[in-house]
Amino acid sequence: MGNNTIIFTGTTFGILAIILGAFGAHALKKVLSTEKLASFEVGVRYQMYNALFLLLLGFNTNTTISNIKWAFYLVTTGTILFSFSIYLLALAEPLKKNFRFLGPVTPLGGLLMILGWGSLLATLL
């Protein structure tokens, strides 16, 4: 894993966040309740925060440092679990699917993101 992998992942998360944010603001506004749309927007926001985190990480760090690798893996996995479980939970009703099993996945993703940011902090200590 090198800087280009981190930058690629951050860029991909950023592009998807913009696409999903626009989709939520325009197409989903008509089919989701205010509460579900707000949840969807939280997923988009955290995905973008972590996209920027990964870009900064990729452009400014030495990826041979163990904590940097951990930060990348934890934030990437956490973002996927957190944001994408929120997207599916918000879209469950219009898709006529039962995604309730994803309820516990969201906080696990949040925990992984926290640990990823903590791994970056640990490089400073």
Side-chain angles (χ1 to χ4, degrees), residues 102-119:
L102 291 174
V105 172
T106 307
L108 175 61
L111 175 62
L112 293 176
M113 290 187 298
I114 292 166
L115 293 172
W117 281 75
S119 289

Side-chain angles (χ1 to χ4, degrees), residues 2-80:
N3 289 50
N4 285 343
T5 301
I6 297 172
I7 295 166
F8 176 84
T9 305
T11 303
T12 302
F13 278 176
I15 290 167
L16 286 173
I18 292 167
I19 291 168
L20 292 169
F23 180 67
H26 299 290
L28 295 181
K29 190 182 252 185
K30 298 171 184 148
V31 295
L32 294 183
S33 68
T34 304
E35 180 183 307
K36 295 289 184 185
L37 187 58
S39 291
F40 191 90
E41 289 170 352
V42 167
V44 170
R45 189 175 9 190
Y46 276 78
Q47 183 175 332
M48 183 57 81
Y49 292 156
N50 288 309
L52 296 172
F53 172 87
L54 291 171
L55 288 174
L56 290 170
L57 196 67
F59 281 118
N60 293 301
T61 60
N62 177 354
T63 57
T64 62
I65 299 171
S66 177
N67 285 355
I68 298 301
K69 290 179 184 179
W70 275 105
F72 167 73
Y73 291 125
L74 289 165
V75 166
T76 299
T77 305
T79 301
I80 292 167

